[in-house]
Amino acid sequence: MTTPDRDIPTEEIATDLTVVGGGLAGVCAAIAAARQGTHVALVQNRPVLGGNSSSEVRVWVCGATAHGAQHYARETGIMGELFVQNQFTNPEGNPYYWDLVVLEAVRAEENIELFLNTDIRHVRATGPESDRRIESVTGWQMGSERSLQFTSPAFVDASGDGLVGYLAGARFRTGREARSVFGESWAPEVPDDNTLGSTILFYTKDTGRPEKFVPPSFAKDITTTPIPELRGIRVEANGCDYWWIEWGGELDVVADNERIRDELQGVIYGIWDHIKNSGEYDADTLTLEWIGAVPGKREYRRFIGDHTLVQDEVLDQVHFDDRVAHGGWSIDLHPPGGMYASEKGSRHWHPDGNYHIPLRSLYSQNVTNLWLAGRTISASHVAFGTTRVMATCAVIGEAAGTAAALAVQQQVTPRELAAERMASVHRALVRSDASVLGVLHDDPDDHAVRARVSASSTLRTLAAGPPTGHWSLTDHLAIVLPADPAVADLEVLLDAAADTELVVEVHEVRRPQNYVPHRKVGTVTVKVAAGEKQWVTLPLDWDLEDPQNAFVVLRANAQVRLHTADGALPGVLTLTHRDLPAEEAYTEQWREWKQVLQRSSVCLRLLEATDAFAAQRAVGGYARPWGGPQLWISAPLDHDPAPHLELAWDEPVTVAEVAAVFDDDLDEDLINLHHHRTPFDVLPTLVRDYRIEARSGDRWQTLAQVTENRHRHRRHRLTEPIEVDGVRLVVEATNGAESARVVSLRTWAS
């Protein structure tokens, strides 16, 4: 008896947009598009979302903060929401709780259909090589034995390895370009196929009783390799501490994935054998708790868009007209030999501040409906060394998803959108509080930009005290101040062991988003008499054309120590300087200026009033720090217990939504699995309790009343639009800050 042939029919899933890849880039692309009103299919080939950040791989989500090297740099938008939510629900950095944060964010969007365990294997595309178009992608959903074909007007390749673009015929690069191609000093003289390698991590735990380890037969003897001598084996290390367990850069990280996994796991068991059985470590009660089974890939295909981001554009922080996302991580390149290489495991070149990523790098040059997100974007190998980190991939994903939704709705190609309709992209990104720098909020749909703005009070003075500690001026110390409208006289509280002179310099920064010195504009020398706790005036006379961050340097003087106070001042940073030895150049630790008083400050008093925190800052303008903090701050709550920000119009306006953006302290470096522990679950600078009121004539009515807020961006959609001539935000409590802080107040017409 013969068995009849059986076929599993292919189901068609029709949506407005198909996003392939459920890492953070794909997740943010899908959420962003869904929030624009687009019906999205999110297709992921693993059982969990999050990609390399998920519990399957467990890589820290790093981004523009660069572990504190960049200031006021943390991502906003969807990635910012995930960071802040994780901080509250997952204070211990549990990888499984992080999975939940990501999954819940996707499931909260009604416009997303999620397809887990679905591996795309076929792409149907039409047209000549120079003008391709994807018609559908088809995959197999494991476990449910379903064949699924996804059709939509546009597609986002957030797959990491770029399989969709490859099968569609999109132009791409792999490996390292020659130095001559883009004029990049960090590119090799001769091109090659080398990429960054893959990594598998492991976790250990202490059981409190003796534990043995019998190594498997395939465990590597690492004493025959450079690993014990050149890499950082530490008994207390866990997870991403072992980022340097990397291999496969000289192979094809996709074609040789199985071989790479086996090698990495063999090395991990060899490292653990060395820790447990060599006698060199105090590890008797430790056991191996978890080892990854999925190699975390760093690099593969990079597609070619209408613009290729390159090294100098990152380091020069080029201000693209079509900027849609920002990054700040160093250009971070690893030797092709990975853990077996004789050189250091990585080298890092930090830009002076955050850099911009253009929309033209987020779509294919020759596939007219293919958007790119995450590792697949159009960048050189060198520039890719910074854009590849996951929080940056996430903000790229949000930008790509937003743009893709707009292009579908407006029935234009990605190229047409970038060339002709960037205003609509920028306005959508600003409205969603996305991570885009230096884009002015001028959307006419927001009535607030035309309103008269007032506040019950405004913080006009910058002063830190009383003293609670000391800082010896053995190295140069910098105080970064928001200078608006000028750099005025500054007083500092200090002790002097003998009569001396204090040399003070004022520097300008190069870009509005920077916090490092660029050009010295003045020097003053101040005589200081011997004595303790004396306020010394530093005459800083510098008039500015535009507000900016002023970098004030107190030159090292061993006779002087400064008093410090608990609590950071808004917009103020304190950094110290040290001359770096040659061997530290281009290492991860390379910092010429490094923050030293993160949640405290030098005792200081700015002698002239500042306009940096005026009420007008919360309307229009910028929603991220840009040449200053860019927010309204009230007087301390003990002077103004219910501060409010008010908008007024001469003629009534129609309001359908009122949105508030609160200050979630973008200088605080949050990491999903807690590279370091941030000491609070809710950021203290966030407004906790507030109400929104609207006025019509002489009558005020409450539109929204919120308690226990812990989010940055709150949108209050009204049941029906109303006619009003005034709107105010009344702050009743913060999560710990002394004053109310509001980044933006918006009143949308629709």
Side-chain angles (χ1 to χ4, degrees):
M1 181 176 178
T2 60
T3 302
D5 292 338
R6 292 189 177 97
D7 246 349
I8 293 179
T10 296
E11 306 169 43
E12 183 171 323
I13 311 296
T15 58
D16 300 322
L17 180 69
T18 301
V19 178
V20 179
L24 293 185
V27 163
C28 290
I31 292 174
R35 290 179 179 178
Q36 294 296 323
T38 302
H39 183 199
V40 182
L42 175 58
V43 186
Q44 162 73 327
N45 65 350
R46 304 298 306 170
V48 294
L49 296 169
N52 280 345
S53 78
S54 75
S55 60
E56 288 193 316
V57 186
R58 305 192 183 190
V59 177
W60 292 324
V61 179
C62 300
T65 59
H67 290 331
Q70 310 291 13
H71 296 289
Y72 297 101
R74 197 179 74 245
E75 293 74 15
T76 51
I78 298 164
M79 186 65 244
E81 294 171 21
L82 297 175
F83 272 142
V84 171
Q85 178 70 3
N86 187 71
Q87 186 66 21
F88 180 75
T89 63
N90 187 18
E92 298 305 317
N94 186 314
Y96 298 106
Y97 291 176
W98 170 248
D99 287 350
L100 282 177
V101 168
V102 179
L103 180 61
E104 282 194 300
V106 169
R107 287 188 171 172
E109 301 297 331
E110 294 181 354
N111 284 333
I112 296 178
E113 288 189 64
L114 175 61
F115 299 85
L116 295 173
N117 294 306
T118 304
D119 194 31
I120 296 300
R121 300 177 181 182
H122 304 285
V123 173
R124 186 164 67 90
T126 58
E129 189 278 338
S130 61
D131 189 20
R132 301 282 287 167
R133 179 178 177 82
I134 300 175
E135 304 296 338
S136 66
V137 301
T138 303
W140 178 259
Q141 189 173 59
M142 294 170 283
S144 63
E145 296 183 352
R146 296 170 70 195
S147 175
L148 302 173
Q149 182 181 79
F150 300 89
T151 61
S152 57
F155 297 80
V156 177
D157 189 336
S159 63
D161 294 332
L163 180 62
V164 172
Y166 173 73
L167 294 176
R171 296 167 185 160
F172 69 95
R173 299 183 179 93
T174 56
R176 305 188 295 185
E177 301 90 354
R179 185 171 303 173
S180 59
V181 174
F182 298 116
E184 297 174 308
S185 62
W186 269 22
E189 290 284 358
V190 178
D192 58 41
D193 294 329
N194 292 338
T195 63
L196 302 178
S198 300
T199 286
I200 289 179
L201 303 172
F202 69 97
Y203 277 58
T204 68
K205 71 175 181 180
D206 192 332
T207 67
R209 61 178 183 271
E211 299 283 356
K212 69 178 180 179
F213 175 64
V214 180
S217 59
F218 57 83
K220 298 288 182 181
D221 180 0
I222 66 167
T223 62
T224 64
T225 75
I227 290 174
E229 181 181 353
L230 297 179
R231 301 295 182 253
I233 297 176
R234 295 180 290 114
V235 72
E236 72 277 11
N238 261 304
C240 239
D241 295 326
Y242 285 108
W243 61 266
W244 50 262
I245 301 177
E246 175 183 359
W247 194 66
E250 296 170 312
L251 305 176
D252 184 314
V253 297
V254 168
D256 298 314
N257 183 71
E258 300 297 290
R259 176 185 170 190
I260 292 168
R261 181 205 57 219
D262 292 347
E263 186 76 13
L264 290 169
Q265 288 192 336
V267 166
I268 287 175
Y269 287 120
I271 291 172
W272 190 236
D273 182 33
H274 184 65
I275 291 173
K276 287 290 293 182
N277 299 323
S278 68
E280 298 180 20
Y281 302 89
D282 182 12
D284 187 48
T285 59
L286 294 183
T287 190
L288 193 61
E289 180 183 37
W290 173 87
I291 177 173
V294 180
K297 297 173 186 170
R298 288 181 173 86
E299 179 182 10
Y300 199 51
R301 300 180 185 98
R302 292 169 283 109
F303 291 104
I304 300 174
D306 279 349
H307 183 86
T308 299
L309 187 70
V310 299
Q311 172 186 308
D312 288 349
E313 292 170 337
V314 169
L315 298 176
D316 292 343
Q317 303 169 272
V318 172
H319 196 71
F320 301 106
D321 290 340
D322 62 332
R323 59 198 176 278
V324 290
H326 83 270
W329 189 259
S330 61
I331 294 175
D332 175 4
L333 300 180
H334 301 185
M339 58 194 173
Y340 296 139
S342 58
E343 61 263 48
K344 290 181 181 295
S346 64
R347 57 176 181 161
H348 299 251
W349 195 341
H350 295 270
D352 284 347
N354 289 170
Y355 60 86
H356 306 275
I357 299 167
L359 184 63
R360 289 165 296 147
S361 292
L362 307 191
Y363 58 83
S364 169
Q365 185 185 74
N366 68 308
V367 179
T368 59
N369 64 339
L370 177 61
W371 292 90
L372 312 170
R375 292 195 284 123
T376 64
I377 71 166
S378 182
S380 70
H381 167 80
V382 175
F384 171 86
T386 170
T387 64
R388 66 184 177 82
V389 292
M390 280 187 283
T392 304
C393 288
V395 301
I396 289 170
E398 180 170 3
T402 300
L406 295 177
V408 168
Q409 292 164 6
Q410 298 174 25
Q411 297 184 339
V412 296
T413 65
R415 180 174 291 127
E416 289 168 338
L417 189 75
E420 303 166 11
R421 307 192 182 197
M422 273 308 301
S424 67
V425 179
H426 279 158
R427 286 171 178 170
L429 291 171
V430 169
R431 182 165 183 171
S432 62
D433 193 37
S435 287
V436 58
L437 298 177
V439 174
L440 189 67
H441 175 36
D442 60 359
D443 193 334
D445 284 345
D446 180 7
H447 294 302
V449 300
R450 298 182 299 279
R452 296 191 310 277
V453 188
S454 61
S456 58
S457 64
T458 297
L459 182 67
R460 299 298 309 279
T461 60
L462 278 175
T468 57
H470 302 94
W471 184 269
S472 297
L473 197 59
T474 52
D475 294 303
H476 309 321
L477 192 77
I479 304 170
V480 183
L481 300 164
D484 185 2
V487 180
D489 291 353
L490 176 71
E491 284 187 331
V492 293
L493 185 64
L494 56 77
D495 302 336
D499 292 348
T500 188
E501 292 182 338
L502 185 60
V503 179
V504 183
E505 301 170 348
V506 178
H507 298 250
E508 66 178 1
V509 298
R510 187 183 183 195
R511 306 286 189 204
Q513 69 270 38
N514 289 7
Y515 299 88
V516 295
H518 173 60
R519 184 179 68 89
K520 186 168 67 176
V521 296
T523 303
V524 295
T525 300
V526 180
K527 293 186 179 300
V528 180
E532 296 185 350
K533 281 194 174 180
Q534 50 184 316
W535 285 101
V536 174
T537 301
L538 312 179
L540 310 176
D541 185 16
W542 180 29
D543 290 325
L544 305 172
E545 293 184 8
D546 298 299
Q548 69 165 271
N549 302 311
F551 199 94
V552 179
V553 177
L554 281 61
R555 304 285 295 182
N557 185 327
Q559 301 297 322
V560 173
R561 71 174 185 177
L562 298 159
H563 287 265
T564 61
D566 295 334
L569 292 174
V572 176
L573 299 171
T574 310
L575 306 99
T576 191
H577 177 275
R578 68 186 179 100
D579 295 321
L580 298 171
E583 64 269 17
E584 286 195 32
Y586 304 125
T587 68
E588 187 177 3
Q589 290 73 40
W590 182 80
R591 307 285 191 276
E592 186 177 4
W593 290 96
K594 188 171 184 178
Q595 189 168 3
V596 291
L597 300 176
Q598 185 176 9
R599 299 183 191 96
S600 58
S601 175
V602 170
C603 289
L604 59 82
R605 298 189 298 220
L606 202 61
L607 296 185
E608 293 188 14
T610 178
D611 294 331
F613 313 115
Q616 189 64 45
R617 295 279 182 257
V619 175
Y622 303 99
R624 289 190 60 97
W626 184 258
Q630 301 296 339
L631 74 166
W632 166 65
I633 302 181
S634 74
L637 298 180
D638 54 1
H639 294 287
D640 185 1
H644 68 264
L645 186 65
E646 185 171 326
L647 310 175
W649 298 270
D650 293 330
E651 299 293 333
V653 297
T654 301
V655 174
E657 177 185 309
V658 179
V661 181
F662 299 117
D663 178 23
D664 58 345
D665 189 4
L666 298 181
D667 197 44
E668 192 67 58
D669 183 24
L670 303 182
I671 301 291
N672 67 318
L673 302 183
H674 301 319
H675 161 271
H676 54 269
R677 181 69 177 91
T678 303
F680 29 73
D681 295 351
V682 179
L683 293 151
T685 50
L686 284 167
V687 167
R688 189 188 76 190
D689 304 335
Y690 67 93
R691 66 182 186 271
I692 293 173
E693 301 175 334
R695 183 185 63 205
S696 182
D698 295 329
R699 179 175 170 270
W700 287 94
Q701 62 175 312
T702 298
L703 303 181
Q705 181 87 42
V706 177
T707 60
E708 303 299 327
N709 173 60
R710 50 186 173 81
H711 302 287
R712 169 183 166 91
H713 189 196
R714 297 301 304 263
R715 300 179 64 173
H716 299 283
R717 188 80 180 170
L718 307 184
T719 305
E720 295 288 341
I722 59 174
E723 295 285 314
V724 303
D725 54 33
V727 167
R728 68 186 177 195
L729 169 67
V730 182
V731 177
E732 298 170 346
T734 72
N735 280 289
E738 293 182 350
S739 301
R741 302 184 181 197
V742 178
V743 172
S744 191
L745 180 60
R746 302 165 177 180
T747 53
W748 297 103
S750 61

